Short mmCIF file of all heavy atoms in Angstrom, two decimals:
data_model
loop_
_atom_site.label_atom_id
_atom_site.label_comp_id
_atom_site.label_asym_id
_atom_site.label_seq_id
_atom_site.Cartn_x
_atom_site.Cartn_y
_atom_site.Cartn_z
N GLN A 301 -66.84 -93.29 40.70
CA GLN A 301 -67.49 -93.81 41.84
C GLN A 301 -68.76 -94.70 41.46
O GLN A 301 -69.30 -95.39 42.29
CB GLN A 301 -67.92 -92.71 42.67
CG GLN A 301 -66.84 -91.72 43.32
CD GLN A 301 -66.16 -92.50 44.43
OE1 GLN A 301 -66.58 -93.42 45.00
NE2 GLN A 301 -64.86 -92.02 44.62
N GLN A 302 -69.15 -94.50 40.21
CA GLN A 302 -70.20 -95.34 39.72
C GLN A 302 -69.90 -96.83 39.22
O GLN A 302 -68.71 -96.97 38.99
CB GLN A 302 -70.94 -94.59 38.47
CG GLN A 302 -71.35 -93.15 38.84
CD GLN A 302 -71.86 -92.50 37.72
OE1 GLN A 302 -71.80 -93.04 36.51
NE2 GLN A 302 -72.18 -91.16 37.82
N ASP A 303 -70.82 -97.68 39.29
CA ASP A 303 -70.57 -98.94 38.85
C ASP A 303 -70.29 -98.98 37.34
O ASP A 303 -70.98 -98.29 36.61
CB ASP A 303 -71.72 -99.93 39.21
CG ASP A 303 -71.95 -100.11 40.71
OD1 ASP A 303 -70.87 -99.97 41.33
OD2 ASP A 303 -73.14 -100.36 41.12
N GLY A 304 -69.53 -100.03 36.86
CA GLY A 304 -69.31 -99.99 35.47
C GLY A 304 -67.88 -100.52 35.20
O GLY A 304 -67.09 -100.73 36.01
N ALA A 305 -67.66 -100.58 33.83
CA ALA A 305 -66.24 -100.95 33.44
C ALA A 305 -65.36 -99.74 33.36
O ALA A 305 -65.77 -98.61 33.70
CB ALA A 305 -66.35 -101.59 31.96
N ASP A 306 -64.17 -99.93 32.75
CA ASP A 306 -63.26 -98.78 32.67
C ASP A 306 -63.66 -97.71 31.68
O ASP A 306 -64.64 -97.98 30.92
CB ASP A 306 -61.84 -99.28 32.45
CG ASP A 306 -61.16 -99.99 33.51
OD1 ASP A 306 -61.68 -99.71 34.74
OD2 ASP A 306 -60.22 -100.72 33.32
N ILE A 307 -63.07 -96.51 31.85
CA ILE A 307 -63.46 -95.37 31.05
C ILE A 307 -62.40 -95.08 29.97
O ILE A 307 -61.26 -94.95 30.35
CB ILE A 307 -63.77 -94.19 31.97
CG1 ILE A 307 -64.70 -94.50 33.03
CG2 ILE A 307 -64.20 -92.96 31.16
CD1 ILE A 307 -64.68 -93.49 34.22
N TRP A 308 -62.77 -94.94 28.78
CA TRP A 308 -61.90 -94.80 27.67
C TRP A 308 -61.93 -93.29 27.24
O TRP A 308 -62.82 -92.61 26.94
CB TRP A 308 -62.33 -95.50 26.40
CG TRP A 308 -61.47 -95.29 25.11
CD1 TRP A 308 -60.19 -94.86 25.08
CD2 TRP A 308 -61.98 -95.33 23.82
NE1 TRP A 308 -59.77 -94.72 23.79
CE2 TRP A 308 -60.84 -95.01 22.97
CE3 TRP A 308 -63.16 -95.68 23.23
CZ2 TRP A 308 -61.03 -95.03 21.57
CZ3 TRP A 308 -63.27 -95.64 21.78
CH2 TRP A 308 -62.15 -95.25 20.98
N LEU A 309 -60.74 -92.59 27.46
CA LEU A 309 -60.50 -91.29 26.96
C LEU A 309 -60.05 -91.34 25.50
O LEU A 309 -58.93 -91.72 25.25
CB LEU A 309 -59.40 -90.62 27.91
CG LEU A 309 -58.99 -89.19 27.39
CD1 LEU A 309 -60.10 -88.18 27.30
CD2 LEU A 309 -57.83 -88.65 28.33
N VAL A 310 -60.89 -90.86 24.67
CA VAL A 310 -60.76 -91.10 23.17
C VAL A 310 -59.77 -89.93 22.69
O VAL A 310 -58.91 -90.12 21.87
CB VAL A 310 -62.02 -90.94 22.49
CG1 VAL A 310 -61.69 -91.21 20.92
CG2 VAL A 310 -62.95 -92.04 22.96
N GLY A 311 -59.78 -88.77 23.24
CA GLY A 311 -59.11 -87.49 22.93
C GLY A 311 -59.95 -86.32 23.10
O GLY A 311 -61.21 -86.50 23.56
N GLY A 312 -59.41 -85.19 22.74
CA GLY A 312 -58.03 -84.88 22.25
C GLY A 312 -57.10 -84.41 23.24
O GLY A 312 -57.19 -84.63 24.55
N GLY A 313 -56.10 -83.64 22.71
CA GLY A 313 -54.98 -83.20 23.56
C GLY A 313 -55.46 -82.26 24.75
O GLY A 313 -54.91 -82.33 25.79
N LYS A 314 -56.28 -81.35 24.48
CA LYS A 314 -56.69 -80.38 25.46
C LYS A 314 -57.50 -81.06 26.62
O LYS A 314 -57.23 -80.82 27.76
CB LYS A 314 -57.55 -79.28 24.92
CG LYS A 314 -56.77 -78.36 24.00
CD LYS A 314 -57.68 -77.11 23.54
CE LYS A 314 -56.90 -76.17 22.67
NZ LYS A 314 -55.68 -75.60 23.35
N LEU A 315 -58.42 -81.96 26.21
CA LEU A 315 -59.13 -82.80 27.17
C LEU A 315 -58.21 -83.73 28.01
O LEU A 315 -58.42 -83.75 29.26
CB LEU A 315 -60.23 -83.57 26.58
CG LEU A 315 -61.12 -84.45 27.47
CD1 LEU A 315 -61.79 -83.53 28.54
CD2 LEU A 315 -62.15 -85.29 26.63
N ALA A 316 -57.22 -84.22 27.31
CA ALA A 316 -56.29 -85.10 28.04
C ALA A 316 -55.51 -84.20 29.04
O ALA A 316 -55.15 -84.82 30.13
CB ALA A 316 -55.39 -85.87 27.06
N ALA A 317 -55.09 -83.05 28.69
CA ALA A 317 -54.37 -82.29 29.71
C ALA A 317 -55.27 -81.89 30.86
O ALA A 317 -54.87 -81.78 32.00
CB ALA A 317 -53.77 -80.96 28.99
N ALA A 318 -56.51 -81.67 30.53
CA ALA A 318 -57.41 -81.24 31.64
C ALA A 318 -57.57 -82.46 32.69
O ALA A 318 -58.04 -82.15 33.81
CB ALA A 318 -58.76 -80.76 31.07
N LEU A 319 -57.49 -83.55 32.07
CA LEU A 319 -57.74 -84.78 32.93
C LEU A 319 -56.47 -85.54 33.39
O LEU A 319 -56.56 -86.64 33.82
CB LEU A 319 -58.64 -85.87 32.10
CG LEU A 319 -60.07 -85.32 31.84
CD1 LEU A 319 -60.79 -86.36 30.94
CD2 LEU A 319 -60.77 -85.25 33.15
N LEU A 320 -55.38 -84.81 33.17
CA LEU A 320 -54.03 -85.44 33.49
C LEU A 320 -54.01 -86.06 34.92
O LEU A 320 -53.51 -87.17 35.04
CB LEU A 320 -52.92 -84.61 33.32
CG LEU A 320 -51.51 -85.00 33.61
CD1 LEU A 320 -51.17 -86.30 32.77
CD2 LEU A 320 -50.46 -83.93 33.39
N ASP A 321 -54.53 -85.29 35.85
CA ASP A 321 -54.49 -86.00 37.21
C ASP A 321 -55.38 -87.15 37.43
O ASP A 321 -55.30 -87.83 38.41
CB ASP A 321 -54.89 -84.80 38.22
CG ASP A 321 -53.78 -83.73 38.37
OD1 ASP A 321 -52.76 -84.03 37.99
OD2 ASP A 321 -54.15 -82.65 38.80
N GLU A 322 -56.37 -87.39 36.54
CA GLU A 322 -57.25 -88.44 36.67
C GLU A 322 -56.97 -89.70 35.79
O GLU A 322 -57.51 -90.75 36.01
CB GLU A 322 -58.67 -88.01 36.34
CG GLU A 322 -59.27 -86.81 37.17
CD GLU A 322 -59.32 -87.34 38.66
OE1 GLU A 322 -59.48 -88.41 38.96
OE2 GLU A 322 -59.18 -86.39 39.50
N ILE A 323 -55.93 -89.59 35.01
CA ILE A 323 -55.53 -90.66 34.12
C ILE A 323 -54.84 -91.73 34.93
O ILE A 323 -53.86 -91.36 35.48
CB ILE A 323 -54.81 -90.25 32.88
CG1 ILE A 323 -55.60 -89.18 32.04
CG2 ILE A 323 -54.22 -91.41 32.05
CD1 ILE A 323 -54.84 -88.68 30.88
N ASP A 324 -55.35 -92.95 34.88
CA ASP A 324 -54.68 -94.10 35.58
C ASP A 324 -53.74 -94.80 34.59
O ASP A 324 -52.81 -95.47 35.10
CB ASP A 324 -55.67 -95.05 36.15
CG ASP A 324 -56.71 -94.32 37.02
OD1 ASP A 324 -56.19 -93.95 38.21
OD2 ASP A 324 -57.85 -94.06 36.69
N GLU A 325 -54.04 -94.81 33.45
CA GLU A 325 -53.31 -95.78 32.48
C GLU A 325 -53.35 -94.99 31.09
O GLU A 325 -54.22 -94.38 30.64
CB GLU A 325 -54.02 -97.10 32.38
CG GLU A 325 -53.14 -98.10 31.48
CD GLU A 325 -53.82 -99.42 31.74
OE1 GLU A 325 -54.34 -99.76 32.68
OE2 GLU A 325 -53.76 -100.20 30.67
N LEU A 326 -52.15 -95.18 30.42
CA LEU A 326 -51.90 -94.48 29.19
C LEU A 326 -51.43 -95.70 28.19
O LEU A 326 -50.44 -96.39 28.44
CB LEU A 326 -50.82 -93.53 29.27
CG LEU A 326 -50.46 -92.73 28.03
CD1 LEU A 326 -51.57 -91.96 27.41
CD2 LEU A 326 -49.30 -91.79 28.38
N ILE A 327 -52.19 -95.85 27.06
CA ILE A 327 -51.80 -96.90 26.09
C ILE A 327 -51.59 -96.11 24.80
O ILE A 327 -52.44 -95.54 24.21
CB ILE A 327 -52.87 -98.01 25.91
CG1 ILE A 327 -53.20 -98.59 27.35
CG2 ILE A 327 -52.46 -98.96 24.90
CD1 ILE A 327 -54.28 -99.69 27.19
N VAL A 328 -50.36 -96.24 24.17
CA VAL A 328 -50.01 -95.39 23.13
C VAL A 328 -49.56 -96.32 21.95
O VAL A 328 -48.65 -97.12 22.16
CB VAL A 328 -48.84 -94.41 23.35
CG1 VAL A 328 -48.52 -93.62 22.13
CG2 VAL A 328 -49.20 -93.49 24.54
N LYS A 329 -50.32 -96.28 20.82
CA LYS A 329 -49.90 -96.90 19.59
C LYS A 329 -49.08 -95.94 18.80
O LYS A 329 -49.55 -95.04 18.24
CB LYS A 329 -51.12 -97.35 18.81
CG LYS A 329 -52.01 -98.37 19.58
CD LYS A 329 -53.26 -98.73 18.82
CE LYS A 329 -54.17 -97.51 18.62
NZ LYS A 329 -55.41 -97.92 17.93
N ARG A 330 -47.72 -96.21 18.81
CA ARG A 330 -46.86 -95.22 18.25
C ARG A 330 -46.48 -95.60 16.90
O ARG A 330 -45.89 -96.69 16.60
CB ARG A 330 -45.66 -94.93 19.03
CG ARG A 330 -44.79 -93.81 18.82
CD ARG A 330 -43.71 -93.55 19.87
NE ARG A 330 -44.23 -93.18 21.12
CZ ARG A 330 -44.72 -92.02 21.52
NH1 ARG A 330 -44.62 -91.03 20.59
NH2 ARG A 330 -45.13 -91.88 22.71
N SER A 331 -46.68 -94.76 15.87
CA SER A 331 -46.49 -95.09 14.51
C SER A 331 -45.17 -94.49 14.18
O SER A 331 -44.72 -93.35 14.60
CB SER A 331 -47.48 -94.34 13.61
OG SER A 331 -47.24 -94.51 12.31
N PRO A 332 -44.24 -95.23 13.37
CA PRO A 332 -42.95 -94.69 12.97
C PRO A 332 -43.00 -93.51 11.93
O PRO A 332 -42.47 -93.64 10.75
CB PRO A 332 -42.24 -95.86 12.48
CG PRO A 332 -43.41 -96.75 11.79
CD PRO A 332 -44.58 -96.51 12.74
N ARG A 333 -43.65 -92.48 12.43
CA ARG A 333 -43.85 -91.30 11.38
C ARG A 333 -43.65 -90.05 12.32
O ARG A 333 -43.82 -90.14 13.56
CB ARG A 333 -45.25 -91.23 10.84
CG ARG A 333 -45.31 -92.26 9.60
CD ARG A 333 -46.72 -92.37 9.23
NE ARG A 333 -46.82 -93.19 8.07
CZ ARG A 333 -46.72 -94.56 7.99
NH1 ARG A 333 -46.36 -95.16 9.08
NH2 ARG A 333 -46.71 -95.21 6.83
N VAL A 334 -43.14 -89.03 11.64
CA VAL A 334 -43.05 -87.76 12.40
C VAL A 334 -43.95 -86.71 11.64
O VAL A 334 -43.97 -86.62 10.35
CB VAL A 334 -41.52 -87.23 12.32
CG1 VAL A 334 -41.35 -85.84 12.75
CG2 VAL A 334 -40.63 -88.14 12.93
N ALA A 335 -44.55 -85.92 12.40
CA ALA A 335 -45.59 -84.91 12.00
C ALA A 335 -45.11 -83.56 11.98
O ALA A 335 -45.45 -82.65 11.24
CB ALA A 335 -46.88 -85.05 12.76
N CYS A 336 -44.24 -83.12 13.01
CA CYS A 336 -43.56 -81.90 13.16
C CYS A 336 -44.64 -80.89 13.72
O CYS A 336 -44.20 -79.97 14.43
CB CYS A 336 -43.02 -81.32 11.91
SG CYS A 336 -41.57 -82.26 11.35
#
Side-chain angles (χ1 to χ4, degrees):
Q301 297 290 337
Q302 299 172 5
D303 293 334
D306 287 340
I307 306 162
W308 173 31
L309 173 55
V310 186
K314 290 185 181 297
L315 180 59
L319 292 174
L320 177 57
D321 289 341
E322 299 299 327
I323 295 176
D324 302 288
E325 189 173 325
L326 177 62
I327 305 177
V328 181
K329 296 177 293 183
R330 195 170 295 278
S331 176
R333 284 167 172 75
V334 173
C336 292

